[in-house]
Amino acid sequence: MLEGKRVNLRVMEKEDLPLFAEWLNKPEFIGEYNPLRQISRTEIEKDYDKRSLEQTGFIIEKKDGSKIGYMWHFIVVHPALKLLEIGYFLVPSERGKGYCTEAVNIMVDYLFLSKDMIRIQACTELRNIASQKVLEKVGFKKEGTIRKSIFNRGEWKDAYLYSILREEWKEPKILTKPQARAAHI
Ligand SMILES: CC(C)(COP(=O)(O)OP(=O)(O)OC[C@H]1O[C@@H](n2cnc3c(N)ncnc32)[C@H](O)[C@@H]1OP(=O)(O)O)[C@@H](O)C(=O)NCCC(=O)NCCS
């Protein structure tokens, strides 16, 4: 468990998959700027069983244990590099309260403390201001536009690529050192 002040990140377990399937199939959870998809629980279970250590999903939980969202890190395949990327979703009723900003801060601390990576990146549709604000508040910088990279509601949309470098992060903002050591093990 990665513990923050108002939210925790807990590695997703098989028991979470029914709720996860329910979330993924709800357009209001996915949001208007991300591709619509309908996926069966069986497919989700297969994906879960195939996942590698480099691709891990986390449930975002409030301190009372209520499940309010999902965040994951994964590797983007590139001919020369291994690019570590994150993504996140919150249930609509818990948006706009700063929870995602804290969850991204926790994830960035965790990834830089536990993995020998020099950068973490995220992509967001041009109109997704809430997501861009989250990234900027955590210290991500906008690198540029990936043109026509998201197919959503019948149209190809441009996205911004954001990243934060290890040297910009400098030190953990939320995770305490003993906790971070435990997460690494
Ligand atoms: C993106 C998302 C995770 C942000 O979560 P969140 O918990 O609401 O984020 P926070 O509360 O930490 O911060 C959001 C910021 O955006 C602002 N914001 C939210 N909606 C906005 C809008 N339509 N226009 C401008 N600013 C907006 C909030 O006011 C807040 O800024 P502030 O702290 O300066 O007030 C959430 O909106 C979501 O789940 N969206 C659907 C899924 C999605 O798009 N995921 C990202 C894929 S790249």
Side-chain angles (χ1 to χ4, degrees), residues 34 88-90 95-98 100-101 123 128-130 134 137:
N34 301 295
Y88 38 80
F89 296 87
L90 239 64
R95 292 178 192 164
K97 300 177 185 174
C100 190
T101 301
C123 284
N128 197 345
I129 307 294
V134 166
K137 282 191 283 181

Side-chain angles (χ1 to χ4, degrees), residues 12-180:
M12 192 159 77
E13 299 290 350
K14 268 201 157 157
E15 297 76 60
D16 298 308
L17 297 184
L19 175 65
F20 185 54
E22 199 184 298
W23 281 348
L24 278 191
N25 286 306
K26 274 193 187 150
E28 59 273 26
F29 179 78
I30 294 300
E32 60 189 301
Y33 308 123
N34 301 295
L36 268 182
R37 68 194 289 217
Q38 294 292 291
I39 180 161
S40 69
R41 202 196 296 181
T42 311
E43 286 302 318
I44 287 173
E45 279 167 8
K46 272 195 222 153
D47 273 4
Y48 181 85
D49 289 336
K50 279 193 306 206
R51 77 203 183 286
S52 70
L53 277 177
E54 289 168 332
Q55 179 187 326
T56 304
F58 292 80
I59 297 290
I60 306 172
E61 289 184 346
K62 290 207 286 193
K63 291 291 170 178
D64 64 4
S66 50
K67 300 170 186 182
I68 62 165
Y70 174 69
M71 177 168 301
W72 80 112
H73 64 75
F74 54 99
I75 294 289
V76 179
V77 181
H78 179 282
L81 296 166
K82 277 170 76 179
L83 297 171
L84 187 63
E85 187 160 324
I86 60 168
Y88 38 80
F89 296 87
L90 239 64
V91 296
S93 58
E94 299 291 354
R95 292 178 192 164
K97 300 177 185 174
Y99 292 136
C100 190
T101 301
E102 184 178 338
V104 174
N105 262 311
I106 295 171
M107 181 59 89
V108 167
D109 282 357
Y110 165 66
L111 290 172
F112 278 137
L113 287 165
S114 63
K115 297 187 187 297
D116 188 11
M117 300 294 288
I118 201 155
R119 52 176 279 138
I120 300 167
Q121 67 181 46
C123 284
T124 173
E125 219 247 67
L126 259 52
R127 298 169 300 160
N128 197 345
I129 307 294
S131 179
Q132 290 160 40
K133 280 200 167 181
V134 166
L135 294 168
E136 284 164 13
K137 282 191 283 181
V138 175
F140 282 70
K141 303 241 178 341
K142 194 189 288 175
E143 292 190 334
T145 307
I146 315 175
R147 294 181 299 159
K148 305 286 182 209
S149 53
I150 302 178
F151 186 72
N152 186 17
R153 273 74 163 177
E155 289 177 24
W156 282 99
K157 299 286 190 186
D158 295 349
Y160 287 134
L161 175 64
Y162 277 84
S163 70
I164 183 167
L165 303 180
R166 184 175 281 278
E167 68 232 42
E168 293 162 344
W169 167 74
K170 294 190 182 83
E171 60 181 5
K173 307 289 180 301
I174 296 192
L175 292 189
T176 61
K177 292 220 159 88
Q179 181 189 45

